[in-house]
Amino acid sequence: TGRVRATRTETVFSENDDADLDLPVAFSFFDWDGNGQVFAAYAGKVFWGGDTPIATTWTQDVLTNTPTDTGKDGDMTVFNGKLYATTSTKLKRLISGAAAWVDIDTLVSGGSHQLCVYAKRLYYVEERLKIHSIDAATETPVTSGDYTLDLSYYGGNISWMVAGSNRIWIGFIS
């Protein structure tokens, strides 16, 4: 297990007792085992904590097909009661109480794979300049047409997405 403490001005963590604990890139509350919400951190791999984020003990996720290879490009969010995470090459999903993570989509390696929930859809960055989505009912990736965005005619990268009350805000680095 490891410990993480993060504030607006500092990030302090120790990997003395868990060599796989890396710098966290995403946090979320999720009921992973059907016994109540716990705090999850995405720090090189997925780690489960207690019911409070600060002063919690972290345990590495050992479920089948757990996300690894997250680096700085991964993200994690809860959508439609399920936990979603991106690695450098996969969009994965975990249902509460399940014994394994499920691959939802294969992603192109490199660049940010940020996640954003808006209007009953999960949006994710793909190939640095595209946004794909899935809906809550089918979990089928939509890669072109409605509910997608393709900025590949620009140079640069989509660096972040944030849902607002009536739109998704996108940060772009050219």
Side-chain angles (χ1 to χ4, degrees), residues 89-91 104-108 126:
T89 60
K90 296 285 183 184
L91 171 64
I104 300 297
D105 197 6
T106 299
L107 307 175
V108 173
E126 169 64 327

Side-chain angles (χ1 to χ4, degrees), residues 38 60 73 79-80 82 85 93 99 117 130-131 135 141 173:
V38 295
Q60 184 175 324
D73 301 326
F79 168 62
N80 198 34
K82 303 167 189 168
R93 182 252 303 137
V117 176
K130 296 179 181 178
I131 297 176
D135 69 11
I173 300 171

Side-chain angles (χ1 to χ4, degrees), residues 36-168:
Q37 297 276 17
V38 295
F39 199 63
Y42 206 18
K45 296 180 180 176
V46 174
F47 288 84
W48 301 109
D51 58 2
T52 60
I54 303 299
T56 192
T57 299
W58 299 97
T59 304
Q60 184 175 324
D61 181 357
V62 294
L63 296 174
T64 302
N65 198 30
T66 188
T68 60
D69 185 30
T70 61
K72 64 183 182 331
D73 301 326
D75 199 6
M76 177 175 64
T77 195
V78 174
F79 168 62
N80 198 34
K82 303 167 189 168
L83 184 63
Y84 288 83
T86 55
T87 69
S88 61
T89 60
K90 296 285 183 184
L91 171 64
K92 296 177 177 253
R93 182 252 303 137
L94 179 66
I95 296 174
S96 179
W101 288 78
V102 174
D103 292 347
I104 300 297
D105 197 6
T106 299
L107 307 175
V108 173
S109 182
S112 170
H113 293 301
Q114 296 297 305
L115 299 169
C116 178
V117 176
Y118 178 75
K120 299 182 182 178
R121 297 193 76 82
L122 175 66
Y123 293 87
Y124 55 100
V125 176
E126 169 64 327
E127 296 182 49
R128 299 179 190 265
L129 293 165
K130 296 179 181 178
I131 297 176
H132 296 175
S133 70
I134 62 172
D135 69 11
T138 65
E139 289 187 330
T140 301
V142 177
T143 61
S144 64
D146 292 346
Y147 308 110
T148 67
L149 178 65
D150 185 350
L151 299 174
S152 57
Y153 50 88
Y154 287 112
N157 296 292
I158 296 171
S159 60
W160 54 267
M161 293 188 297
V162 176
S165 60
N166 62 353
R167 67 192 68 174
I168 297 174

